[in-house]
Amino acid sequence: MAKLIDGKVISAAVKAEVAAETEELKKQGITPGLAVIIVGEDPASKVYVANKEKACQQMGFASFKYALPAETTQEELLELVKKLNEDPAVHGILCQLPLPRHLDEESVINTIVPEKDVDAFHPQNVGKIMIGNYDFLPCTPAGVMEMLKYENIDVNGKECVVIGRSNIVGKPMAMLLLHKNGTVTICHSRTKDLAEVCRRADILVAAVGRANFVTADMVKEGAVVIDVGINRLENGKLCGDVNFAEVEPKASYITPVPGGVGPMTIATLMKNTLTAAKKQNNL
Ligand code: NDP
């Protein structure tokens, strides 16, 4: 039976550290501020944004929410980002993705100044992650690394397989595992004999976006299984990319969905906002 890696407990520990440091920072007259932009009415995005606002309040941050209508133009959106770039009360800016189809996500990401890019999506921050000398950690992969650290799971020399190669999760996840000396394989929709590749993994990370995609035959006995996926089933319930019931008996450690990687992503976002506030005040 696998040990459950509890994202709620670990994220609470991270957030407690951030809140304590924020309290000290506020004594110096600095209140970390996070601006969150949401465009349109995507229900999942609304939930994520509400969770981020709630976390900001818990941390003692200032939170600025900009809920824009779905018909917002590219110019209007970029104008807002530029205004926030200049606002000294705002230390972190994030634009909730996906955006409505008529808007260009890449130009929005490129317009956020790298110092305030707390999602670490700007090419300058992505490049720094690649080099291994970064200011901001990519939120979800960094959350996964924090979970491994908390559980004393050593990555050094381990076979790590990441399913998914998105810029948000898969690629930076692979990079962080590599920085910790894992031997990393990245899989995607064109990978041949995926199950065979996955069975090599000591640490298997699923970031596919398909419910119950990882089945027991894809998992080595005793593997650490990290489920990044968040999928909503027809009955409204959330479910990961890993078939938990099948895989859990084979794994040594496993993350649940919900209550696994999700809370860690938000905790890292809070950490990044604090880092941004300190850096912008030369601390
Ligand atoms: P993307 O859709 O951008 O990427 C999915 C990846 O999975 C792609 O690289 C794709 O390959 C690969 N893939 C799809 N089908 C297969 C297949 N049959 N075999 C092998 N690989 C496949 O998703 P994201 O990376 O943005 O997100 C992944 C999941 O993580 C989603 O469920 C998302 O909701 C969740 N998520 C969770 C977060 C959290 O905080 N827990 C944060 C961010 C995301 P290809 O490139 O070839 O198309």
Side-chain angles (χ1 to χ4, degrees), residues 51-167:
N51 288 341
K52 288 167 188 174
E53 271 191 290
K54 197 171 132 203
C56 280
Q57 279 160 15
Q58 289 171 346
M59 296 305 97
F61 290 179
S63 112
F64 310 93
K65 180 180 162 189
Y66 295 86
L68 307 181
E71 55 278 9
T72 300
T73 65
Q74 185 76 17
E75 290 69 32
E76 286 167 336
L77 181 55
L78 294 185
E79 269 318 303
L80 172 60
V81 171
K82 286 176 193 162
K83 197 182 94 188
L84 297 171
N85 280 343
E86 299 297 322
D87 186 342
V90 172
H91 303 102
I93 303 170
L94 79 80
C95 185
Q96 187 65 44
L97 303 179
L99 289 172
R101 291 181 66 169
H102 69 282
L103 296 171
D104 175 17
E105 291 181 356
E106 200 178 334
S107 76
V108 176
I109 289 169
N110 290 348
T111 303
I112 297 173
V113 287
E115 301 77 45
K116 296 192 179 186
D117 169 41
V118 283
D119 261 336
F121 292 166
H122 189 285
Q124 186 173 312
N125 287 324
V126 173
K128 284 182 157 188
I129 291 159
M130 184 94 167
I131 293 164
N133 176 19
Y134 35 80
D135 304 315
F136 298 124
L137 302 153
C139 293
T140 301
V144 171
M145 297 309 288
E146 190 69 36
M147 289 176 127
L148 297 177
K149 188 173 145 206
Y150 188 91
E151 297 292 348
N152 291 317
I153 297 166
D154 191 9
V155 178
N156 198 7
K158 299 274 168 62
E159 287 284 344
C160 305
V161 174
V162 179
I163 321 174
R165 57 173 164 181
S166 70
N167 291 330

